[in-house]
Coordinates of all heavy atoms in Angstrom, one line a residue:
M1 N 2.8 -0.4 -6.4 CA 2.1 0.9 -6.7 C 1.1 0.6 -7.7 O 1.3 0.0 -8.8 CB 3.1 1.9 -7.2 CG 2.4 3.2 -7.4 SD 3.6 4.6 -7.7 CE 3.8 4.4 -9.5
W2 N -0.1 1.0 -7.5 CA -1.3 0.8 -8.4 C -1.7 2.0 -9.2 O -2.8 2.3 -9.4 CB -2.4 0.3 -7.6 CG -2.3 -1.1 -7.2 CD1 -1.3 -2.0 -7.6 CD2 -3.2 -1.9 -6.4 NE1 -1.6 -3.2 -7.0 CE2 -2.8 -3.2 -6.3 CE3 -4.4 -1.5 -5.8 CZ2 -3.4 -4.1 -5.6 CZ3 -5.1 -2.5 -5.1 CH2 -4.6 -3.8 -5.0
W3 N -0.7 2.9 -9.5 CA -1.0 4.0 -10.3 C 0.0 4.3 -11.3 O 1.2 4.3 -11.0 CB -1.2 5.3 -9.4 CG -1.7 6.4 -10.2 CD1 -3.0 6.7 -10.4 CD2 -0.9 7.4 -10.9 NE1 -3.1 7.8 -11.2 CE2 -1.8 8.3 -11.5 CE3 0.4 7.6 -11.1 CZ2 -1.4 9.3 -12.3 CZ3 0.8 8.7 -11.9 CH2 -0.1 9.5 -12.5
W4 N -0.4 4.6 -12.5 CA 0.4 5.0 -13.6 C -0.5 5.7 -14.6 O -1.7 5.5 -14.5 CB 1.3 3.9 -14.1 CG 0.6 2.7 -14.6 CD1 0.1 2.4 -15.8 CD2 0.2 1.6 -13.8 NE1 -0.5 1.2 -15.8 CE2 -0.5 0.7 -14.6 CE3 0.4 1.3 -12.4 CZ2 -1.0 -0.5 -14.1 CZ3 -0.1 0.1 -12.0 CH2 -0.8 -0.8 -12.8
W5 N 0.0 6.5 -15.5 CA -0.8 7.3 -16.4 C -1.9 6.5 -17.1 O -3.0 6.9 -17.2 CB 0.1 8.0 -17.4 CG 0.7 9.2 -16.8 CD1 2.0 9.4 -16.5 CD2 0.0 10.4 -16.3 NE1 2.2 10.6 -15.9 CE2 1.0 11.3 -15.8 CE3 -1.3 10.8 -16.3 CZ2 0.6 12.5 -15.2 CZ3 -1.6 12.0 -15.7 CH2 -0.7 12.9 -15.2
P6 N -1.6 5.3 -17.7 CA -2.7 4.6 -18.4 C -3.9 4.3 -17.5 O -5.0 4.2 -18.1 CB -2.0 3.3 -18.9 CG -0.5 3.6 -18.9 CD -0.3 4.6 -17.8
T7 N -3.7 4.2 -16.2 CA -4.9 3.9 -15.4 C -5.9 5.0 -15.4 O -7.1 4.8 -15.2 CB -4.4 3.6 -13.9 OG1 -3.4 2.6 -13.9 CG2 -5.6 3.2 -13.0
A8 N -5.5 6.2 -15.7 CA -6.4 7.3 -15.7 C -7.3 7.2 -16.9 O -8.5 7.7 -16.9 CB -5.6 8.7 -15.9
W9 N -6.9 6.5 -18.0 CA -7.7 6.4 -19.2 C -8.2 5.0 -19.5 O -9.1 4.9 -20.4 CB -6.9 7.0 -20.3 CG -6.3 8.3 -20.0 CD1 -5.0 8.6 -19.9 CD2 -7.0 9.5 -19.6 NE1 -4.8 9.9 -19.5 CE2 -6.1 10.5 -19.3 CE3 -8.4 9.8 -19.5 CZ2 -6.4 11.8 -18.9 CZ3 -8.7 11.1 -19.1 CH2 -7.7 12.1 -18.8
H10 N -7.6 4.0 -18.9 CA -8.0 2.6 -19.3 C -8.1 1.8 -18.0 O -7.3 1.8 -17.1 CB -7.0 1.9 -20.2 CG -6.7 2.7 -21.4 ND1 -7.6 2.7 -22.5 CD2 -5.7 3.5 -21.8 CE1 -7.1 3.4 -23.5 NE2 -6.0 3.9 -23.1
E11 N -9.2 1.1 -17.8 CA -9.5 0.3 -16.6 C -8.4 -0.8 -16.5 O -8.1 -1.5 -17.4 CB -10.8 -0.4 -16.7 CG -11.2 -1.2 -15.5 CD -12.6 -1.7 -15.5 OE1 -13.3 -1.5 -16.5 OE2 -13.0 -2.3 -14.5
D12 N -7.8 -0.8 -15.3 CA -6.7 -1.8 -15.1 C -7.2 -3.1 -14.7 O -8.3 -3.2 -14.2 CB -5.8 -1.2 -14.0 CG -4.4 -1.9 -14.0 OD1 -3.6 -1.5 -14.8 OD2 -4.2 -2.8 -13.2
D13 N -6.4 -4.2 -14.9 CA -6.8 -5.5 -14.5 C -7.2 -5.7 -13.1 O -8.0 -6.6 -12.7 CB -5.7 -6.6 -14.9 CG -5.5 -6.7 -16.4 OD1 -6.4 -6.3 -17.1 OD2 -4.5 -7.2 -16.8
W14 N -6.6 -5.0 -12.2 CA -6.9 -5.2 -10.7 C -8.3 -4.8 -10.4 O -8.8 -5.2 -9.3 CB -5.8 -4.5 -9.8 CG -5.6 -3.1 -9.9 CD1 -4.7 -2.4 -10.7 CD2 -6.3 -2.0 -9.2 NE1 -4.8 -1.0 -10.5 CE2 -5.8 -0.8 -9.6 CE3 -7.4 -2.1 -8.3 CZ2 -6.3 0.4 -9.1 CZ3 -7.8 -0.8 -7.8 CH2 -7.3 0.4 -8.2
F15 N -9.0 -4.1 -11.2 CA -10.4 -3.9 -10.9 C -11.3 -5.1 -11.1 O -12.4 -5.2 -10.6 CB -11.0 -2.7 -11.8 CG -10.6 -1.4 -11.3 CD1 -9.5 -0.7 -11.8 CD2 -11.3 -0.8 -10.3 CE1 -9.2 0.6 -11.4 CE2 -11.0 0.5 -9.8 CZ -9.9 1.1 -10.3
D16 N -10.7 -6.1 -11.8 CA -11.4 -7.4 -12.0 C -11.2 -8.3 -10.8 O -11.9 -9.3 -10.6 CB -10.9 -8.1 -13.2 CG -11.3 -7.4 -14.5 OD1 -12.4 -6.7 -14.5 OD2 -10.6 -7.5 -15.5
E17 N -10.2 -8.0 -9.9 CA -9.9 -8.8 -8.8 C -11.0 -8.6 -7.7 O -11.7 -7.6 -7.6 CB -8.6 -8.4 -8.2 CG -7.4 -8.7 -9.1 CD -6.1 -8.2 -8.5 OE1 -6.1 -7.7 -7.3 OE2 -5.1 -8.2 -9.2
R18 N -11.2 -9.6 -6.9 CA -12.2 -9.6 -5.8 C -11.7 -8.5 -4.8 O -10.5 -8.6 -4.4 CB -12.3 -10.9 -5.1 CG -13.3 -11.0 -4.0 CD -13.4 -12.4 -3.5 NE -14.1 -12.4 -2.3 CZ -14.3 -13.4 -1.5 NH1 -13.8 -14.6 -1.9 NH2 -15.0 -13.3 -0.4
P19 N -12.5 -7.5 -4.5 CA -12.1 -6.5 -3.5 C -11.8 -7.0 -2.1 O -12.5 -8.0 -1.7 CB -13.2 -5.5 -3.6 CG -14.4 -6.2 -4.1 CD -13.9 -7.3 -4.9
G20 N -10.9 -6.4 -1.4 CA -10.6 -6.8 0.0 C -11.8 -6.4 0.8 O -12.7 -5.7 0.5
Q21 N -11.8 -7.0 2.0 CA -12.9 -6.8 3.0 C -13.1 -5.4 3.4 O -14.1 -5.0 3.9 CB -12.7 -7.7 4.2 CG -11.5 -7.4 5.0 CD -11.3 -8.4 6.1 OE1 -11.9 -9.4 6.2 NE2 -10.4 -8.0 7.1
D22 N -12.0 -4.6 3.3 CA -12.1 -3.2 3.8 C -12.3 -2.2 2.6 O -12.1 -1.0 2.8 CB -10.8 -2.9 4.5 CG -9.5 -3.2 3.7 OD1 -9.7 -3.8 2.6 OD2 -8.4 -2.9 4.2
V23 N -12.6 -2.7 1.4 CA -12.9 -1.8 0.3 C -14.3 -1.4 0.3 O -15.2 -2.3 0.5 CB -12.5 -2.5 -1.0 CG1 -12.9 -1.7 -2.2 CG2 -11.0 -2.9 -1.0
V24 N -14.6 -0.1 0.1 CA -16.0 0.4 0.0 C -16.7 -0.3 -1.1 O -16.2 -0.3 -2.2 CB -16.0 1.9 -0.1 CG1 -17.4 2.4 -0.3 CG2 -15.2 2.6 1.0
P25 N -17.9 -0.9 -0.8 CA -18.7 -1.5 -1.9 C -19.0 -0.5 -3.0 O -19.2 0.7 -2.8 CB -20.0 -1.9 -1.2 CG -19.7 -2.0 0.2 CD -18.6 -0.9 0.4
G26 N -19.0 -1.0 -4.2 CA -19.3 -0.1 -5.4 C -18.1 0.7 -6.0 O -18.3 1.5 -6.9
V27 N -16.9 0.4 -5.5 CA -15.8 1.1 -6.0 C -15.6 0.5 -7.5 O -15.6 -0.7 -7.7 CB -14.5 0.8 -5.2 CG1 -13.3 1.2 -6.0 CG2 -14.6 1.4 -3.9
R28 N -15.5 1.5 -8.4 CA -15.3 1.0 -9.8 C -14.5 2.1 -10.5 O -14.2 3.2 -10.0 CB -16.6 0.8 -10.5 CG -17.5 2.0 -10.5 CD -18.9 1.6 -11.0 NE -19.7 2.8 -11.2 CZ -20.9 2.7 -11.6 NH1 -21.5 1.6 -11.9 NH2 -21.6 3.8 -11.7
W29 N -14.1 1.8 -11.7 CA -13.2 2.6 -12.5 C -14.1 3.6 -13.3 O -15.1 3.3 -13.9 CB -12.4 1.8 -13.4 CG -11.5 2.6 -14.3 CD1 -10.3 3.1 -14.0 CD2 -11.8 3.0 -15.7 NE1 -9.8 3.8 -15.1 CE2 -10.7 3.7 -16.1 CE3 -12.8 2.8 -16.6 CZ2 -10.6 4.2 -17.4 CZ3 -12.7 3.3 -17.8 CH2 -11.6 4.0 -18.2
W30 N -13.6 4.9 -13.3 CA -14.3 5.9 -14.1 C -13.1 6.6 -14.9 O -12.1 7.0 -14.3 CB -14.9 7.0 -13.2 CG -16.1 6.4 -12.5 CD1 -16.1 5.8 -11.3 CD2 -17.5 6.5 -12.9 NE1 -17.4 5.5 -10.9 CE2 -18.3 5.9 -11.9 CE3 -18.1 7.0 -14.0 CZ2 -19.6 5.7 -12.0 CZ3 -19.5 6.8 -14.1 CH2 -20.2 6.2 -13.1
P31 N -13.3 6.8 -16.2 CA -12.2 7.5 -17.0 C -11.9 8.8 -16.3 O -12.7 9.6 -16.0 CB -12.9 7.7 -18.3 CG -14.0 6.7 -18.4 CD -14.5 6.5 -17.0
G32 N -10.6 9.0 -16.2 CA -10.1 10.3 -15.7 C -10.2 10.4 -14.2 O -9.2 10.7 -13.5
I33 N -11.4 10.2 -13.6 CA -11.7 10.4 -12.2 C -10.9 9.4 -11.4 O -10.2 9.8 -10.4 CB -13.2 10.2 -11.9 CG1 -13.9 11.4 -12.6 CG2 -13.4 10.2 -10.4 CD1 -15.4 11.2 -12.6
T34 N -10.9 8.1 -11.7 CA -10.1 7.1 -11.0 C -8.6 7.4 -11.0 O -8.0 7.3 -9.9 CB -10.4 5.7 -11.5 OG1 -11.8 5.5 -11.5 CG2 -9.7 4.7 -10.7
G35 N -8.1 7.9 -12.1 CA -6.7 8.2 -12.1 C -6.4 9.3 -11.2 O -5.3 9.3 -10.5
L36 N -7.2 10.4 -11.1 CA -7.0 11.5 -10.2 C -7.1 11.0 -8.8 O -6.4 11.5 -7.9 CB -8.0 12.6 -10.5 CG -7.7 13.3 -11.8 CD1 -8.9 14.3 -12.1 CD2 -6.4 14.0 -11.8
Q37 N -8.1 10.2 -8.5 CA -8.2 9.6 -7.1 C -7.0 8.9 -6.7 O -6.5 9.0 -5.6 CB -9.5 8.8 -7.0 CG -10.7 9.5 -7.1 CD -11.9 8.6 -7.2 OE1 -11.9 7.5 -7.8 NE2 -13.1 9.0 -6.6
L38 N -6.5 8.0 -7.6 CA -5.3 7.2 -7.2 C -4.1 8.1 -7.1 O -3.2 7.9 -6.2 CB -5.0 6.2 -8.3 CG -6.1 5.1 -8.4 CD1 -5.8 4.2 -9.7 CD2 -6.1 4.2 -7.2
L39 N -4.0 9.1 -7.9 CA -2.8 10.1 -7.8 C -2.9 10.8 -6.4 O -1.9 10.9 -5.7 CB -2.9 11.1 -8.9 CG -1.7 12.1 -8.9 CD1 -0.4 11.5 -9.0 CD2 -1.9 13.1 -10.0
A40 N -4.1 11.3 -6.1 CA -4.3 12.0 -4.8 C -3.9 11.0 -3.6 O -3.3 11.4 -2.6 CB -5.7 12.5 -4.6
D41 N -4.3 9.8 -3.8 CA -4.0 8.8 -2.7 C -2.6 8.6 -2.5 O -2.1 8.4 -1.3 CB -4.7 7.4 -3.1 CG -4.5 6.4 -2.0 OD1 -4.9 6.6 -0.9 OD2 -3.8 5.4 -2.3
M42 N -1.8 8.7 -3.5 CA -0.3 8.6 -3.4 C 0.3 9.7 -2.5 O 1.2 9.4 -1.8 CB 0.4 8.7 -4.7 CG 0.1 7.5 -5.7 SD 0.9 6.0 -5.2 CE -0.3 5.1 -4.4
F43 N -0.4 10.8 -2.4 CA 0.1 11.9 -1.6 C -0.2 11.7 -0.1 O 0.5 12.3 0.8 CB -0.4 13.3 -2.1 CG 0.3 13.7 -3.4 CD1 -0.4 13.6 -4.6 CD2 1.6 14.2 -3.4 CE1 0.2 13.9 -5.8 CE2 2.2 14.6 -4.5 CZ 1.5 14.5 -5.7
V44 N -1.3 11.0 0.2 CA -1.7 10.8 1.6 C -1.4 9.4 2.1 O -1.6 9.2 3.3 CB -3.2 11.2 1.8 CG1 -3.4 12.6 1.5 CG2 -4.1 10.3 1.0
A45 N -0.9 8.5 1.3 CA -0.8 7.2 1.6 C 0.3 7.0 2.7 O 0.3 6.0 3.5 CB -0.4 6.3 0.4
G46 N 1.2 7.9 2.9 CA 2.2 7.8 3.9 C 2.0 8.6 5.1 O 2.8 8.7 6.0
S47 N 0.8 9.2 5.2 CA 0.4 10.0 6.4 C 0.4 9.2 7.7 O 0.1 8.0 7.7 CB -1.0 10.6 6.1 OG -1.5 11.2 7.3
D48 N 0.6 9.9 8.8 CA 0.6 9.3 10.1 C -0.9 8.8 10.4 O -1.1 8.0 11.3 CB 1.1 10.2 11.2 CG 2.6 10.3 11.2 OD1 3.3 9.4 10.7 OD2 3.1 11.4 11.6
D49 N -1.9 9.4 9.7 CA -3.3 9.0 9.9 C -3.6 7.7 9.3 O -4.7 7.1 9.6 CB -4.2 10.1 9.4 CG -4.0 11.4 10.1 OD1 -3.6 11.4 11.3 OD2 -4.2 12.5 9.4
V50 N -2.8 7.1 8.5 CA -3.0 5.9 7.8 C -2.6 4.7 8.8 O -1.5 4.7 9.3 CB -2.2 5.7 6.5 CG1 -2.5 4.4 5.9 CG2 -2.6 6.9 5.5
P51 N -3.6 3.8 9.1 CA -3.3 2.8 10.0 C -2.2 1.8 9.5 O -2.0 1.7 8.3 CB -4.6 2.0 10.2 CG -5.5 2.5 9.2 CD -4.9 3.7 8.6
L52 N -1.5 1.1 10.4 CA -0.5 0.1 10.1 C -1.0 -0.9 9.1 O -2.1 -1.4 9.3 CB 0.0 -0.6 11.3 CG 1.1 -1.6 11.1 CD1 2.4 -1.0 10.6 CD2 1.4 -2.3 12.4
G53 N -0.3 -1.1 8.0 CA -0.7 -2.1 7.0 C -1.5 -1.6 5.8 O -1.8 -2.3 4.9
Y54 N -1.8 -0.3 5.9 CA -2.5 0.3 4.8 C -1.7 1.4 4.1 O -0.7 1.9 4.7 CB -3.8 1.0 5.3 CG -4.8 -0.1 5.7 CD1 -4.8 -0.6 7.0 CD2 -5.8 -0.5 4.8 CE1 -5.7 -1.6 7.4 CE2 -6.7 -1.5 5.2 CZ -6.6 -2.0 6.5 OH -7.5 -3.0 6.8
G55 N -2.1 1.8 2.9 CA -1.3 2.9 2.2 C 0.1 2.5 2.1 O 0.5 1.4 1.7
H56 N 1.0 3.4 2.6 CA 2.4 3.1 2.6 C 3.0 3.0 4.0 O 4.1 3.3 4.3 CB 3.2 4.2 1.8 CG 2.9 4.1 0.3 ND1 3.8 3.8 -0.6 CD2 1.7 4.3 -0.4 CE1 3.3 3.8 -1.8 NE2 2.0 4.1 -1.7
N57 N 2.1 2.7 4.9 CA 2.5 2.6 6.3 C 2.7 1.1 6.6 O 1.9 0.4 7.1 CB 1.4 3.1 7.2 CG 1.7 3.0 8.7 OD1 2.9 2.6 9.0 ND2 0.8 3.4 9.6
Y58 N 3.9 0.6 6.3 CA 4.3 -0.7 6.5 C 4.7 -1.0 7.9 O 4.5 -2.1 8.5 CB 5.4 -1.2 5.5 CG 5.0 -0.8 4.1 CD1 5.7 0.1 3.3 CD2 3.9 -1.4 3.5 CE1 5.3 0.4 2.0 CE2 3.5 -1.1 2.2 CZ 4.2 -0.2 1.5 OH 3.9 0.1 0.2
G59 N 5.4 0.0 8.5 CA 5.8 -0.1 9.9 C 6.5 -1.4 10.3 O 7.0 -2.1 9.5
E60 N 6.3 -1.7 11.6 CA 7.0 -2.9 12.1 C 6.3 -4.2 11.7 O 6.7 -5.3 12.0 CB 7.1 -2.8 13.6 CG 5.8 -2.8 14.4 CD 5.1 -1.5 14.5 OE1 5.5 -0.5 13.8 OE2 4.1 -1.5 15.3
G61 N 5.1 -4.1 11.1 CA 4.3 -5.3 10.7 C 5.0 -6.1 9.7 O 4.6 -7.3 9.5
Y62 N 6.1 -5.6 9.1 CA 6.7 -6.4 8.0 C 8.1 -6.9 8.3 O 8.9 -7.3 7.5 CB 6.7 -5.6 6.7 CG 5.3 -5.4 6.2 CD1 4.6 -4.3 6.6 CD2 4.7 -6.3 5.4 CE1 3.3 -4.1 6.1 CE2 3.4 -6.2 4.9 CZ 2.7 -5.1 5.3 OH 1.4 -4.9 4.9
V63 N 8.5 -6.8 9.6 CA 9.8 -7.2 10.0 C 10.1 -8.7 9.7 O 11.1 -9.0 9.2 CB 10.1 -6.9 11.5 CG1 11.3 -7.5 12.0 CG2 10.1 -5.4 11.7
D64 N 9.1 -9.5 10.1 CA 9.3 -11.0 9.8 C 9.5 -11.3 8.3 O 10.3 -12.1 7.9 CB 8.2 -11.8 10.4 CG 8.1 -11.7 11.9 OD1 9.2 -11.7 12.5 OD2 7.0 -11.6 12.5
A65 N 8.7 -10.6 7.5 CA 8.8 -10.8 6.1 C 10.1 -10.3 5.6 O 10.8 -11.0 4.7 CB 7.7 -10.1 5.3
F66 N 10.6 -9.2 6.1 CA 11.9 -8.7 5.7 C 13.0 -9.7 6.0 O 13.9 -10.0 5.2 CB 12.2 -7.4 6.4 CG 13.6 -6.9 6.3 CD1 14.1 -6.3 5.2 CD2 14.5 -7.1 7.4 CE1 15.5 -5.9 5.1 CE2 15.8 -6.8 7.3 CZ 16.3 -6.1 6.2
A67 N 13.0 -10.2 7.2 CA 14.0 -11.2 7.7 C 13.9 -12.5 6.8 O 15.0 -13.0 6.4 CB 13.8 -11.6 9.1
W68 N 12.7 -12.9 6.5 CA 12.6 -14.1 5.7 C 13.1 -13.9 4.2 O 13.9 -14.7 3.7 CB 11.1 -14.5 5.6 CG 10.9 -15.8 4.8 CD1 11.1 -17.1 5.2 CD2 10.4 -15.9 3.5 NE1 10.8 -18.0 4.2 CE2 10.4 -17.2 3.1 CE3 10.0 -14.9 2.6 CZ2 10.0 -17.7 1.9 CZ3 9.6 -15.4 1.3 CH2 9.6 -16.7 1.0
V69 N 12.7 -12.8 3.6 CA 13.1 -12.5 2.2 C 14.6 -12.3 2.1 O 15.2 -12.8 1.2 CB 12.3 -11.3 1.7 CG1 12.9 -10.8 0.4 CG2 10.9 -11.6 1.5
T70 N 15.2 -11.6 3.1 CA 16.6 -11.3 3.0 C 17.5 -12.5 3.5 O 18.7 -12.5 3.2 CB 17.0 -10.1 3.8 OG1 16.7 -10.3 5.2 CG2 16.3 -8.9 3.3
G71 N 16.9 -13.4 4.2 CA 17.6 -14.5 4.8 C 18.5 -14.1 6.0 O 19.4 -14.8 6.4
A72 N 18.1 -12.9 6.5 CA 18.9 -12.5 7.7 C 18.7 -13.4 8.9 O 17.6 -13.9 9.1 CB 18.4 -11.1 8.1
E73 N 19.8 -13.7 9.5 CA 19.7 -14.6 10.7 C 19.5 -13.7 11.9 O 20.5 -13.3 12.6 CB 21.0 -15.4 10.8 CG 21.1 -16.4 9.6 CD 22.4 -17.3 9.8 OE1 22.9 -17.4 10.9 OE2 22.8 -17.8 8.7
L74 N 18.2 -13.5 12.3 CA 17.9 -12.7 13.4 C 17.1 -13.6 14.4 O 16.2 -14.3 14.0 CB 17.0 -11.5 13.0 CG 17.6 -10.6 11.9 CD1 16.5 -9.6 11.4 CD2 18.8 -9.9 12.5
D75 N 17.5 -13.5 15.7 CA 16.7 -14.2 16.7 C 15.6 -13.4 17.2 O 15.4 -12.3 16.7 CB 17.6 -14.6 17.9 CG 18.2 -13.5 18.6 OD1 17.7 -12.4 18.6 OD2 19.3 -13.6 19.2
D76 N 14.8 -13.9 18.1 CA 13.6 -13.2 18.5 C 13.9 -11.9 19.1 O 13.1 -10.9 19.0 CB 12.8 -14.1 19.5 CG 12.1 -15.3 18.8 OD1 11.9 -15.3 17.6 OD2 11.8 -16.2 19.6
G77 N 15.0 -11.8 19.9 CA 15.4 -10.5 20.5 C 15.8 -9.5 19.4 O 15.4 -8.3 19.5
D78 N 16.5 -9.9 18.4 CA 16.8 -9.0 17.3 C 15.6 -8.5 16.6 O 15.5 -7.3 16.3 CB 17.7 -9.7 16.2 CG 19.1 -10.1 16.8 OD1 19.6 -9.4 17.7 OD2 19.6 -11.1 16.2
L79 N 14.6 -9.4 16.3 CA 13.4 -9.0 15.7 C 12.6 -8.0 16.5 O 12.1 -7.1 16.0 CB 12.6 -10.2 15.3 CG 13.1 -11.2 14.3 CD1 12.3 -12.5 14.2 CD2 13.2 -10.5 12.9
A80 N 12.6 -8.3 17.8 CA 11.8 -7.4 18.7 C 12.5 -6.0 18.7 O 11.8 -5.0 18.7 CB 11.8 -8.0 20.1
R81 N 13.8 -5.9 18.8 CA 14.5 -4.6 18.8 C 14.2 -3.9 17.5 O 14.0 -2.7 17.5 CB 16.0 -4.8 19.1 CG 16.3 -5.1 20.5 CD 17.8 -5.1 20.8 NE 18.5 -6.1 20.1 CZ 18.5 -7.4 20.6 NH1 17.9 -7.8 21.7 NH2 19.2 -8.3 19.9
L82 N 14.3 -4.6 16.4 CA 14.0 -4.0 15.1 C 12.6 -3.5 15.0 O 12.4 -2.4 14.6 CB 14.3 -5.1 14.0 CG 14.1 -4.6 12.5 CD1 15.0 -3.3 12.3 CD2 14.5 -5.7 11.6
R83 N 11.6 -4.2 15.5 CA 10.2 -3.7 15.5 C 10.1 -2.5 16.4 O 9.4 -1.5 16.0 CB 9.3 -4.8 16.1 CG 9.0 -5.9 15.1 CD 7.9 -6.8 15.7 NE 7.9 -8.0 15.0 CZ 8.5 -9.1 15.3 NH1 9.2 -9.2 16.5 NH2 8.5 -10.2 14.6
E84 N 10.8 -2.5 17.5 CA 10.7 -1.3 18.4 C 11.4 -0.1 17.8 O 10.8 1.0 17.9 CB 11.4 -1.6 19.8 CG 10.7 -2.6 20.6 CD 11.5 -3.1 21.8 OE1 12.6 -2.5 22.1 OE2 11.1 -4.0 22.5
T85 N 12.5 -0.3 17.1 CA 13.2 0.8 16.4 C 12.3 1.4 15.3 O 12.2 2.6 15.2 CB 14.5 0.3 15.8 OG1 15.3 -0.2 16.9 CG2 15.2 1.4 15.1
I86 N 11.7 0.5 14.5 CA 10.8 1.0 13.4 C 9.6 1.7 14.0 O 9.2 2.8 13.5 CB 10.4 -0.2 12.5 CG1 11.7 -0.7 11.8 CG2 9.3 0.3 11.6 CD1 11.4 -1.9 11.0
A87 N 9.0 1.2 15.1 CA 7.8 1.8 15.6 C 8.1 3.2 16.2 O 7.3 4.1 16.2 CB 7.2 0.9 16.7
A88 N 9.4 3.4 16.7 CA 9.7 4.6 17.3 C 10.2 5.7 16.3 O 10.4 6.8 16.6 CB 10.9 4.4 18.3
T89 N 10.4 5.2 15.0 CA 10.9 6.1 14.0 C 9.7 6.9 13.4 O 8.8 6.3 12.9 CB 11.6 5.3 12.9 OG1 12.7 4.6 13.5 CG2 12.2 6.2 11.8
S90 N 9.8 8.2 13.4 CA 8.7 9.0 12.8 C 8.8 8.9 11.3 O 9.9 8.8 10.7 CB 8.8 10.4 13.3 OG 10.0 11.0 12.8
R91 N 7.7 9.0 10.7 CA 7.6 8.9 9.2 C 7.4 10.4 8.7 O 6.7 11.1 9.3 CB 6.5 8.1 8.7 CG 6.6 6.6 9.2 CD 5.5 5.8 8.7 NE 4.2 6.2 9.2 CZ 3.1 6.4 8.5 NH1 3.1 6.1 7.2 NH2 2.0 6.8 9.0
P92 N 8.1 10.7 7.6 CA 7.8 12.0 7.0 C 6.4 12.1 6.5 O 5.8 11.1 6.0 CB 8.8 12.1 5.8 CG 9.2 10.6 5.5 CD 9.0 9.9 6.8
G93 N 5.9 13.3 6.5 CA 4.5 13.4 5.9 C 3.7 14.3 6.6 O 3.5 15.2 7.1

């Protein structure tokens, strides 16, 4: 999560990082305003309108990472079923 109270008043280190290819050019930190924008983003980040891999829409795109991190012994069929189950599960929002 990239939001907490100090971000509203002090520029965070992640503004010094190279922006991703999908970041609008010219995005920068503004006292108060950026904090409010980030807070508002937290409310819509899980919306069904957010594409897979953005906001809080992790979806089935992270099944392989989950299996690797947890050390779960899942074969290709297990992984496929898990992806299908996650894709079919509606998200609140």
Side-chain angles (χ1 to χ4, degrees):
M1 182 170 87
W2 283 356
W3 187 88
W4 54 94
W5 281 112
T7 306
W9 311 115
H10 303 285
E11 184 173 5
D12 199 82
D13 291 342
W14 59 266
F15 279 98
D16 293 331
E17 297 174 8
R18 183 176 168 184
Q21 65 185 14
D22 53 353
V23 175
V24 177
V27 170
R28 58 187 186 184
W29 179 82
W30 292 88
I33 295 171
T34 302
L36 291 173
Q37 289 173 325
L38 292 171
L39 179 61
D41 182 61
M42 292 287 101
F43 288 103
V44 297
S47 165
D48 287 334
D49 296 331
V50 177
L52 180 64
Y54 290 86
H56 291 248
N57 183 3
Y58 307 115
E60 69 274 12
Y62 293 91
V63 169
D64 294 320
F66 167 80
W68 181 79
V69 168
T70 62
E73 295 184 19
L74 303 171
D75 62 25
D76 289 341
D78 293 332
L79 293 172
R81 283 188 295 281
L82 184 54
R83 282 189 199 95
E84 290 170 8
T85 300
I86 291 171
T89 303
S90 64
R91 296 181 301 133

